[in-house]
Amino acid sequence: MSAVIDNHGHAHDDHHADHGHPPGLMRWVSTTNHKDIGSMYLWFSFIMFLMGGVMALTIRAELWQPGMQIVQPEFFNQMTTYHGLIMVFGAIMPAFVGFANWQIPMMIGAPDMAFPRMNNWSFWLLPVAAILLVSSLAVGGAGVGWTMYAPLTTQAGPGMDLLIFAVHILGMSSIMGSINIVTTILNMRAPGMTLMKMPMFVWTWLITAYLLIAVMPVLAGAVTMTLTDRHFGTSFFNAAGGGDPVLYQHIFWFFGHPEVYIIAIPAFGVVSQVIPAFSRKPLFGYASMVYATSSIAILSFMVWAHHMYTTGMPVAGQLYFMYATMLIAVPTGVKVFNWVATMWRGSLTFETPMLFALGFLFLFTLGGFTGLVLAMTPVDVPLHDTYYVVAHFHYVMVAGALFSALSGVYFWLPKWTGNMYDETLGKWHFWLSMVFFNITFFVQHFLGLAGMPRRIPDYNLQFTAFNQISSIGAFGFGLTQLLFLYVVLKCIRSGEKAPDKPWDGADTLEWTHLPTPAPYHTFENPPTVK
Amino acid sequence: MTSKFWAKVTVAVAALYSGVVMADYQLNLTRGATRLTEDVYQLHNMMMWVITVIFCAVFGFMFYAIYKHRKSVGHKAANFHENTSVEIAWTVVPFFILIAMAVPATKTLLDVRDTTNPDITVKVTGYQWKWGYDYLKGEGEGVAFLANLSTPHEQIYGSEGKGENYLLETDRHMVVPVGKKIRILTTAADVIHAWYVPALGIKQDAIPGFVRDTWFRADKEGIFRGQCAELCGKDHGFMPIVVEVVSAEKYSGWVAETKKAIAAAADDPDKKWELADLNARGEKVYAANCAACHQANGQGIKGTFPALDGSKLVKGPKRGHIDIVLNGKSNTAMAAFGKQLSDTDIAALITYERNSWSNKAGEVIQPSDIKAARK
């Protein structure tokens, strides 16, 4: 994750002119190196992950039994809100941008990102946004849900304004990062690397970056309209002034649904590198994988109102969004089939990255299936805004995106740090995560089916048993992630030295052309790809 | 560690375990009280079967590969990486499975949305944080009331034992006759709420400034409970819904009784009240409508809901005070209570606020003051 300090030494061995960098903190503030910036993204996202995790545990502690014991309803609402915002914008998205920074230049044979200074700026905006976000809790917070539906947001206190500005800054950071990624991929590939020869991870990020550029401004628009409704007398979302509260939801989900795939598609990319490597067999259906990913991205713009089946839209609208949403199952199915076919008749081994990739495959598919259930409008009506939905999207976000990110960290950690992680501890980390994740979230399907609404701080006695099981799982899952921190630190400090290519089946440029650990500057002379 | 300690641990674990074993484990959708909830229940079961079969098939392949195609059992990797006919098949076949699922879903959806020819129409209004019911058309026309959470504060925050219907009980029930088509119009006064009763198969957002509709026809009598399903602020978890389905005769009786009670409760708008009487009544109105935010002790919640105790507005001229209670304050959670409460209730409430805690105006606001201010 951040062995760059070690790499500093290697940079001297590298026979290139070492440009040097300022010592201490200033190195990190002023760095334009894609590896440094990738490490900062990853550490930042891990810190935010812990912060969002503590909020999740506050929620689960309050829900341990009926009655209000630990927090007040107002604060409970703030916890659900900030947990969601921090995990989506602070933890998962930056984690995959971190992967993009580290990996894309190495995988396409480029020396760095296309715009190194902008790269620095897009990272350093993140802590600013995070400080705004968290400090808004200190001025009363805003318990409006991560979706920030109007007109509840119009009522909220000054914390809401800080939240809005934080979202603006996060959006700027994402847009700059995306432009950088698109430019790098389209212009800086090594000679011979055509688009259809790029590693799947690079393809998924190219598609994701376009999604980000398309929808982050939409989110910025939605929250800006909220801001002007709050302070400048506009009525975008206020019926009394000729506006419509549901307009907000349309705009938000026009951003929000592609956002789901902004998180999922790079996760697909990581898994598409890991599964072939440990199957010792090329990815099955490379071309169809590219087409499936692109169609998922395009379809993601056309299904947003399936989050709004109960708003009372015309029945024709409900039917259209139901059909379009079900259609996404087709390309998603293709991807799952391709991964399974990649493993078929391979020569499989099950190191930690592979375990997390298989955990991803198994549980993400489960989350996809509950998504299909929710796509069916008449079935969604009783399930909408219940714990069923909470379970569904945690299968996609945690077992999907987070497991994939963990898989990627274990996969590339040797290349980044030069050291192997502790395989035994890694396997413990996987199995504990797998078990506790399911204890936490599988039972939430039942809570939703029985009718427990989401975002409530207290509940009827009939929901007690499953809530207690879920809370036990959540604390187990949270503690398990501290083990992950330990494994990573141990790897950096005292891991065994890793060979240049520790994984038999890995075949991308960073494994075949670069020493381990990857030097500070790589591919100053591009390799030739046949 | 003494054996006493372990005995205690054993007892605690046993208590937890028995609590978990004895508890409620509903694993599927609620078997509802209407034909449509049954349709949706069956649709969901059908989906679950399809999903389970596909899931087992796909992961059957995966686990077979994990078992047979391991390096540790000496399996050598093949080198194939595409197969056009297989790839076309697994794109096209799911497409037809989806169409087969979409057909019954479409049929059910069209039924769900058919709100024509109702016997009774009820408008349901979401307030922060209670529901209002207005019977607009059909038998019972003219009946209107608010329904508040009736679970006592001590059960929520204190150690008092929680009842079976904890948080799912209200002071007044929405009563409807069995076997009649009831059309529900939803709207809201402040933010978006959602009217959600699992056993009736209804979840419909209540959107301020707009009216949406839905319907149900209960096939059996009973009491059905639900709650708000859209985050609506602080007490989102504390605004339940109770629908009581009764026989036609019982319903007629309820309508007559309720109308009589509403007429009896109507106050003489010109009556002159004494301070003590108004204060006593105002305390109740305050507890039901204001204490959730401004708190029973009038201190509010710092940073979110202003204190009334010692407030400049409350201690100031009565006109400003009456105005904010009647019309609310835009862009805040302060609702316009003029639409919810009678002149007498508002007069009592304002009198109470101006004479409670450290506020000692000694002044009586009469219903006629409110009537005048409404103009």
Side-chain angles (χ1 to χ4, degrees):
Chain A
M1 211 175 243
S2 95
V4 194
I5 296 168
D6 305 329
N7 290 344
H8 181 44
H10 292 278
H12 291 285
D13 309 335
D14 216 20
H15 305 300
H16 296 300
D18 183 11
H19 306 298
H21 40 63
L25 189 64
M26 276 318 282
R27 165 189 173 178
W28 299 100
V29 173
S30 65
T31 184
T32 55
N33 180 288
H34 72 102
K35 299 184 181 82
D36 281 356
I37 293 174
S39 301
M40 290 197 293
Y41 264 109
L42 288 165
W43 279 114
F44 172 81
S45 79
F46 188 74
I47 292 165
M48 295 307 274
F49 173 67
L50 292 184
M51 203 182 280
V54 169
M55 292 174 174
L57 294 183
T58 311
I59 295 169
R60 287 307 333 162
E62 177 58 54
L63 291 176
W64 165 252
Q65 59 182 23
M68 299 302 301
Q69 291 90 16
I70 299 173
V71 297
Q72 294 298 309
E74 187 83 346
F75 188 71
F76 182 91
N77 290 344
Q78 290 167 16
M79 285 297 99
T80 59
T81 306
Y82 288 78
H83 164 71
L85 286 169
I86 285 177
M87 286 305 199
V88 168
F89 293 104
I92 299 185
M93 289 171 69
F96 283 109
V97 181
F99 280 106
N101 263 292
W102 256 103
Q103 289 306 125
I104 289 175
M106 294 203 294
M107 290 173 111
I108 63 174
D112 205 309
M113 298 294 281
F115 305 115
R117 285 191 181 79
M118 188 166 84
N119 204 12
N120 171 294
W121 181 225
S122 44
F123 171 77
W124 280 108
L125 282 175
L126 285 183
V128 177
I131 289 166
L132 264 182
L133 191 70
V134 175
S135 63
S136 79
L137 272 175
V139 292
V144 294
W146 86 276
T147 49
M148 302 179 282
Y149 276 10
L152 189 57
T153 44
T154 326
Q155 282 187 356
M160 190 65 217
D161 300 316
L162 296 187
L163 219 66
I164 289 171
F165 292 132
V167 169
H168 279 146
I169 295 172
L170 289 164
M172 282 194 263
S173 161
S174 288
I175 292 169
M176 283 194 269
S178 305
I179 291 173
N180 213 341
I181 287 168
V182 170
T183 314
T184 308
I185 296 175
L186 292 183
N187 295 291
M188 296 174 67
R189 296 191 310 280
M193 182 172 279
T194 59
L195 282 176
M196 289 308 272
K197 277 188 187 164
M198 293 194 310
M200 191 49 65
F201 177 75
V202 180
W203 251 116
T204 55
W205 249 113
L206 179 63
I207 293 166
T208 304
Y210 274 110
L211 283 182
L212 274 167
I213 294 170
V215 300
M216 289 312 286
V218 178
L219 175 65
V223 295
T224 307
M225 288 153 98
T226 303
L227 188 73
T228 60
D229 267 16
R230 285 167 56 80
H231 297 296
F232 308 116
T234 58
S235 301
F236 292 111
F237 311 129
N238 175 7
D244 185 345
V246 180
L247 172 66
Y248 176 84
Q249 298 181 25
H250 281 290
I251 302 173
F252 179 83
W253 287 113
F254 188 80
F255 147 81
H257 200 74
E259 168 69 18
V260 172
Y261 290 99
I262 286 166
I263 288 169
I265 289 178
F268 296 162
V270 171
V271 168
S272 301
Q273 300 303 134
V274 171
I275 289 182
F278 294 90
S279 304
R280 294 166 180 77
K281 197 166 150 276
L283 182 67
F284 186 89
Y286 175 91
S288 71
M289 216 63 161
V290 172
Y291 301 139
T293 312
S294 313
S295 9
I296 290 174
I298 291 164
L299 281 173
S300 76
F301 286 108
M302 305 192 227
V303 297
W304 73 90
H306 67 215
H307 298 270
M308 303 162 53
Y309 282 149
T310 65
T311 53
M313 74 177 95
V315 68
Q318 287 183 327
L319 285 174
Y320 161 74
F321 282 106
M322 174 168 81
Y323 300 149
T325 304
M326 291 171 77
L327 209 53
I328 293 193
V330 174
T332 313
V334 167
K335 297 186 75 86
V336 172
F337 300 144
N338 280 341
W339 287 319
V340 174
T342 304
M343 293 166 63
W344 190 252
R345 293 179 54 208
S347 179
L348 304 174
T349 52
F350 303 97
E351 289 88 345
T352 310
M354 182 63 163
L355 288 177
F356 271 107
L358 295 181
F360 161 91
L361 183 53
F362 194 69
L363 298 179
F364 178 83
T365 307
L366 213 155
F369 275 130
T370 54
L372 192 58
V373 172
L374 290 170
M376 315 271 277
T377 316
V379 183
D380 177 76
V381 168
L383 296 178
H384 178 77
D385 268 334
T386 68
Y387 262 83
Y388 192 91
V389 174
V390 176
H392 158 70
F393 68 70
H394 281 94
Y395 268 79
V396 180
M397 295 282 146
V398 181
L402 178 66
F403 274 26
S404 159
L406 294 173
S407 168
V409 169
Y410 282 109
F411 185 56
W412 280 302
L413 209 47
K415 184 56 69 180
W416 296 343
T417 64
N419 299 336
M420 279 311 274
Y421 60 87
D422 185 325
E423 191 63 58
T424 314
L425 288 181
K427 283 186 171 146
W428 270 104
H429 175 215
F430 168 74
W431 285 109
L432 289 173
S433 296
M434 185 78 180
V435 168
F436 283 125
F437 170 81
N438 283 293
I439 293 177
T440 313
F441 293 109
F442 198 76
V443 293
Q444 293 186 358
H445 291 113
F446 303 132
L447 287 174
L449 286 162
M452 178 170 163
R454 64 194 283 203
R455 295 166 168 171
I456 56 172
D458 194 5
Y459 51 83
N460 182 262
L461 308 180
Q462 60 171 316
F463 303 124
T464 312
F466 285 136
N467 270 299
Q468 297 202 329
I469 295 172
S470 182
S471 292
I472 292 170
F475 277 87
F477 189 83
L479 290 176
T480 303
Q481 304 321 309
L482 296 179
L483 175 63
F484 172 59
L485 178 64
Y486 174 74
V487 175
V488 170
L489 291 176
K490 187 175 170 212
C491 169
I492 293 171
R493 295 225 173 125
S494 59
E496 256 174 68
K497 201 147 169 25
D500 287 354
K501 187 164 165 276
W503 318 121
D504 293 347
D507 60 354
T508 41
L509 294 178
E510 81 275 27
W511 302 112
T512 55
H513 283 60
L514 293 179
T516 290
Y520 195 60
H521 295 291
T522 44
F523 291 131
E524 283 167 317
N525 299 307
T528 306
V529 179
K530 277 180 237 105
Chain B
M1 295 290 161
T2 60
S3 59
K4 228 177 183 178
F5 171 80
W6 287 110
K8 270 185 193 163
V9 169
T10 316
V11 170
V13 169
L16 180 65
Y17 179 74
S18 67
V20 168
V21 169
M22 304 288 285
D24 221 324
Y25 289 104
Q26 184 180 336
L27 298 180
N28 204 339
L29 281 171
T30 305
R31 254 347 222 295
T34 72
R35 183 178 58 78
L36 280 178
T37 51
E38 185 61 22
D39 288 354
V40 170
Y41 181 85
Q42 298 300 347
L43 189 62
H44 174 255
N45 280 359
M46 186 270 291
M47 291 285 297
M48 287 312 290
W49 279 115
V50 174
I51 286 170
T52 310
V53 169
I54 300 176
F55 193 81
C56 292
V58 172
F59 289 99
F61 276 98
M62 186 181 92
F63 283 112
Y64 183 85
I66 287 177
Y67 185 64
K68 284 279 186 186
H69 303 156
R70 276 176 293 158
K71 194 183 176 201
S72 57
V73 297
H75 195 271
K76 294 269 178 297
N79 202 32
F80 64 90
H81 54 84
E82 54 192 4
N83 183 330
T84 313
S85 40
V86 170
E87 289 177 60
I88 289 176
W90 70 38
T91 312
V92 174
V93 172
F95 191 75
F96 286 103
I97 297 176
L98 289 174
I99 291 177
M101 296 196 295
V103 172
T106 305
K107 210 178 137 282
T108 309
L109 180 62
L110 293 176
D111 281 353
V112 168
R113 295 301 302 272
D114 178 16
T115 55
T116 52
N117 301 319
D119 297 309
I120 294 174
T121 303
V122 183
K123 184 177 85 171
V124 177
T125 308
Y127 298 97
Q128 284 171 318
W129 292 275
K130 57 183 168 277
W131 292 97
Y133 298 91
D134 290 85
Y135 288 63
L136 295 183
K137 258 195 187 150
E139 190 184 358
E141 191 176 324
V143 170
F145 55 87
L146 295 170
N148 280 290
L149 174 75
S150 61
T151 302
H153 191 266
E154 291 70 32
Q155 283 190 23
I156 302 173
Y157 289 91
S159 50
E160 203 174 286
K162 299 176 190 356
E164 190 199 343
N165 297 315
Y166 176 69
L167 295 186
L168 297 180
E169 50 200 348
T170 55
D171 52 0
R172 313 195 62 163
H173 296 177
M174 173 187 169
V175 180
V176 293
V178 70
K180 297 277 193 236
K181 184 166 185 175
I182 315 293
R183 181 173 177 230
I184 302 286
L185 303 177
T186 62
T187 188
D190 30 53
V191 300
I192 301 177
H193 303 266
W195 202 72
Y196 172 36
V197 184
L200 300 176
I202 289 188
K203 185 182 287 128
Q204 181 60 56
D205 288 4
I207 297 161
F210 292 85
V211 175
R212 302 287 202 248
D213 70 343
T214 181
W215 70 281
F216 68 90
R217 187 197 302 271
D219 294 330
K220 58 180 183 197
E221 296 174 28
I223 294 181
F224 305 107
R225 297 170 195 275
Q227 49 192 323
C228 180
E230 181 66 64
L231 180 63
C232 55
K234 176 175 155 301
D235 282 347
H236 162 56
F238 304 92
M239 50 182 291
I241 298 154
V242 182
V243 179
E244 193 174 339
V245 179
V246 298
S247 65
E249 305 82 67
K250 245 182 149 176
Y251 178 70
S252 303
W254 176 80
V255 169
E257 212 174 279
T258 311
K259 282 191 171 165
K260 213 187 287 167
I262 289 172
D267 301 288
D268 172 7
D270 299 319
K271 178 178 168 186
K272 288 274 171 236
W273 290 69
E274 296 298 323
L275 177 64
D277 295 341
L278 268 188
N279 246 344
R281 179 159 174 174
E283 188 172 2
K284 284 185 197 142
V285 178
Y286 183 86
N289 295 284
C290 317
C293 297
H294 297 294
Q295 307 298 313
N297 59 10
Q299 294 300 326
I301 293 176
K302 226 177 167 189
T304 321
F305 304 117
L308 299 186
D309 185 9
S311 145
K312 264 192 200 145
L313 194 136
V314 174
K315 293 178 111 170
K318 66 182 180 185
R319 256 183 61 194
H321 193 175
I322 294 175
D323 179 63
I324 195 166
V325 174
L326 275 179
N327 303 315
K329 188 171 178 199
S330 59
N331 289 0
T332 68
M334 180 63 197
F337 286 96
K339 292 177 204 152
Q340 300 179 35
L341 302 175
S342 72
D343 289 354
T344 311
D345 279 341
I346 293 179
L349 170 65
I350 293 177
T351 306
Y352 172 75
E353 286 176 355
R354 293 173 84 78
N355 292 288
S356 298
W357 317 299
S358 68
N359 306 338
K360 296 278 175 256
E363 164 190 32
V364 181
I365 308 293
Q366 294 294 347
S368 53
D369 295 329
I370 308 299
K371 198 175 166 193
R374 275 187 195 271
K375 280 168 191 163

